[in-house]
Amino acid sequence: MKRILISGGRVIDPETGIDGVASIVIEDGKIASIDDPEAQRPDREAEIIDASGKIVTPGLIDMHVHLREPGHEYKETIETGCRAAAHGGFTAICCMPNTEPVNDNQSVTDYILRKAMKNATVRVYPIGAISRGLRGKGLADFGELKAAGAVAVSDDGNPVMNAELMRRALEYAKGFGLLVVAHCEDRNLAAIGVMNEGLTATRLGLRGMPSAEEFVMVGRDIALCELTGARLHIAHVSTEGSVHLIQDAKARGLPVTAETAPHYFSLTEEAVLGYNTHAKVHPPLRGDRDRNAIRQGLSDGTIDVIASDHAPHSAIEKDVEFDRAANGMIGLETALPLSLQLLELGLMDLKDLIAKMSTRVARILNLPHIGLKVGNPADLTIIDLDREFTVDAETFQSKSRNTPFNGWRLKGKAVLTMVGGKIAFSDAPQP
Amino acid sequence: MQFVKKDILDMESLSSEEISVILDTAETLKEISTRPIKKVPTLRGKTVIHFFYEPSTRTKTSFDIAAKRLSADTVSLSGTASSLLKGETLVDTAKNLQAMNPDAIVIRHPAAGAPHMLARLVKASIINAGDGMHAHPTQALLDMMTVRERKGRLDGLKIAIIGDIAHSRVARSNLIGFTKMGAKVTLAGPPTMIPMGIEALGADVRYDISSAIGDADVVMVLRIQKERIQGFAFPSEREYAQYYGLTREKLAGAKKDILIMHPGPINRGVEIAPEVAEGPYSVILEQVANGVAVRMALLYLLLGGPR
């Protein structure tokens, strides 16, 4: 029976409310005890992980990741994406269905889970498609997807433009207890825009899309949530208008949750200056006012979750004219350090941040075993808040390098990621 | 002052001093085009590639004549004839062009920022001959040259730019260039053709063109960029001509020494009435003539000096 003792760290778990220096004993991959003085007796057999001066949290969960496998393995595979997740402190990720073939059926979900079982170092929870082939014409088989292991449905990458289809998706998903994750974009209004509409787009001569392309759809989906009573999760919120609509929906008691990504609270549209294709993403980086609203929404709880929207692309898609470049940036390996900056800005405390990156995410997804409780699998992340480092994409575990944060000086990062008692990543030299 | 730029990419990256040097040089070189033998040996042995990935008649011919009058060797590539059609990326094309060691590449491209990308990749000087809706610096420079010749100055003048501002690289470059030289630019057109945030670049925006023409020293009329408009920018050419087309009637209250300009090509009867385009205030053909002089000046300044 293998025992691991994590000692000396400050354990923070929003689920159980614990916040203090405590030891965690792990046996057979499960948490055997927390802060039990008896369990800390000298033990020759136990492997000891010294976490003093560091933070021990429930494993971080990223509910919005593009793993690219099957179909675009040159950008990312399940294996490399999971290594990137572990490197960034995540013990579990949800993968979006816009692969090739699309994950709109049991066999693709099965494939992903089998691959993950074989090669992945972190847990993988597939998200199935809302519409068959992501074509927005008819519903995918939600029951079959759920039975195969999908935890939610989404047409992420595409909006469900047909309001009736979205209505039926919400209703039908309710019958299976599946969460619907909405990619909110009015394609007609976004038209052929390649960045946010405004001064920067005007200066660069690039076609803009107005911020309303997002919140027009957020408004529609909230109305459909009200109509159906089904749970709705709004992905990658990027605008002030969306924040206000979500705030209002929550005040009215609707079952709406929302996420944003680190780039929406870290960057503005000015990151595009110089035609930087690494800053091309959808929804696009917005203006300063939107960024402030996102930060405020995170601070006051309007936005529940921080998810990376990790979207790997190779030089083939990014080393081209801005108009032709693909949307998306990788984020698994920068999400935590960028999010920790919210603490520096005084927008939230550490417990709140961990909730948004772990326990709250698990609740929204209805995952089993939430938080650091005795008997739960030992999924945990050790964070060094004081570690300063320079982002170097060459050291990333992801197959892709498309990040606008390369060269940024950041403070705080995951130093150990443990999944089911196994170390998935550690930056300490291995014995 | 010494002119030490590698590339001419847009008007934002040129200082007012640099603009003055370019215009002064162009005025000096203009005389060459009036000689019986219209050629000087200044750029003998230099190679200029004209890389036009978008159709062009005026600009391409103008650049070609400018280079030849300075004795540079010129090569023309078009989008349809080049490897782009075979799927080669701009990055690979750039590397291949660089391997042939040209001294300058003049590029026109439908994607904003393409010349900037090329400039990062090659040692040759890049001259932007129009990139998407972004910039057309040589057009702005020849417009400024034309106005300066006629008015004797740029500082303090009122310039009205009328029409499809949103899709126009000429409008952007002229707004930035004229504003830098102390002129005051008014933009006028239907609200659907005014890009968001342009006031922050120093423009005064109006929706009624008569009020823009009223106190203008120069009126610049823009073509509707049909090839770039997607969607619903205006109802019909008929209505556009009625409200936003420059006609003799709309010029009734204008200054007596107003200049009428147009970057071409003209859609007669749409944005400008034929009698205005050919009328007494029009300097449209002077613009074309000055285009050669400005492009000679740029090639001379970029390639002519000791490098």
Side-chain angles (χ1 to χ4, degrees), chain B residues 148-198:
Chain B
R148 203 177 76 162
E149 269 186 350
R150 282 290 191 133
K151 298 286 184 189
R153 67 193 166 106
L154 296 173
D155 187 40
L157 292 180
K158 291 201 160 78
I159 316 289
I161 306 179
I162 290 170
D164 181 4
I165 311 295
H167 300 93
S168 174
R169 53 196 177 207
V170 175
R172 282 173 176 75
S173 286
N174 269 318
L175 166 61
I176 293 162
F178 275 99
T179 305
K180 249 180 204 176
M181 302 309 283
K184 180 72 200 159
V185 178
T186 299
L187 304 175
T192 48
M193 290 178 168
I194 306 288
M196 201 181 274
I198 193 113

Side-chain angles (χ1 to χ4, degrees), chain A residues 197 202-203 207 275 321, chain B residues 12 109 134 172 196-197 228:
Chain A
E197 187 171 324
T202 294
R203 278 179 67 190
R207 289 176 193 274
Y275 301 95
E321 299 89 321
Chain B
E12 288 197 53
H109 199 284
H134 174 235
R172 282 173 176 75
M196 201 181 274
R228 294 188 214 283

Side-chain angles (χ1 to χ4, degrees), chain B residues 81-301:
Chain B
S82 75
S83 316
L84 283 158
L85 264 198
K86 300 169 194 162
E88 187 171 75
T89 65
L90 186 59
V91 172
D92 287 327
T93 305
K95 288 177 182 164
N96 280 282
L97 292 179
Q98 177 58 45
M100 297 178 223
N101 202 17
D103 298 284
I105 300 174
V106 176
I107 179 175
R108 168 167 289 193
H109 199 284
H116 303 66
M117 194 172 171
L118 200 59
R120 282 194 294 267
L121 292 165
V122 304
K123 287 213 267 317
S125 287
I126 305 299
I127 301 178
N128 182 359
D131 62 327
M133 309 187 303
H134 174 235
H136 195 348
T138 63
Q139 178 71 43
L141 289 164
L142 73 88
D143 288 342
M144 293 160 83
M145 178 182 178
T146 306
V147 172
R148 203 177 76 162
E149 269 186 350
R150 282 290 191 133
K151 298 286 184 189
R153 67 193 166 106
L154 296 173
D155 187 40
L157 292 180
K158 291 201 160 78
I159 316 289
I161 306 179
I162 290 170
D164 181 4
I165 311 295
H167 300 93
S168 174
R169 53 196 177 207
V170 175
R172 282 173 176 75
S173 286
N174 269 318
L175 166 61
I176 293 162
F178 275 99
T179 305
K180 249 180 204 176
M181 302 309 283
K184 180 72 200 159
V185 178
T186 299
L187 304 175
T192 48
M193 290 178 168
I194 306 288
M196 201 181 274
I198 193 113
E199 298 87 347
L201 298 179
D204 174 23
V205 172
R206 315 251 177 105
Y207 301 137
D208 166 23
I209 74 162
S210 299
S211 92
I213 295 167
D215 58 352
D217 298 296
V218 177
V219 171
M220 205 175 279
V221 186
L222 301 176
R223 182 174 65 88
I224 301 173
Q225 302 264 311
K226 283 181 217 164
E227 71 278 22
R228 294 188 214 283
I229 295 181
Q230 308 235 352
F232 316 100
F234 66 105
S236 67
E237 287 191 0
R238 185 172 155 271
E239 172 148 316
Y240 186 91
Q242 190 184 340
Y243 289 94
Y244 303 102
L246 190 62
T247 56
R248 202 181 283 166
E249 296 74 51
K250 292 205 187 87
L251 280 170
K255 286 191 180 172
K256 292 300 157 220
D257 59 348
I258 194 167
L259 301 181
I260 307 291
M261 304 175 76
H262 193 302
I266 291 174
N267 289 315
R268 283 166 182 269
V270 184
E271 74 270 4
I272 190 164
E275 69 270 20
V276 175
E278 283 158 24
Y281 309 119
S282 170
V283 291
I284 294 173
L285 296 177
E286 283 174 42
Q287 291 174 267
V288 178
N290 285 338
V292 174
V294 155
R295 287 159 184 138
M296 286 171 76
L298 291 174
L299 289 169
Y300 170 73
L301 290 168

Side-chain angles (χ1 to χ4, degrees), chain A residues 241-277:
Chain A
S242 300
V243 173
H244 288 164
L245 288 164
I246 294 160
Q247 197 166 35
D248 173 68
K250 287 187 163 187
R252 289 189 290 127
L254 299 178
V256 174
T257 54
E259 91 198 11
T260 191
H263 37 276
Y264 300 118
F265 59 74
S266 305
L267 297 171
T268 67
E269 61 189 15
E270 293 193 357
V272 174
L273 287 173
Y275 301 95
N276 180 7
T277 58

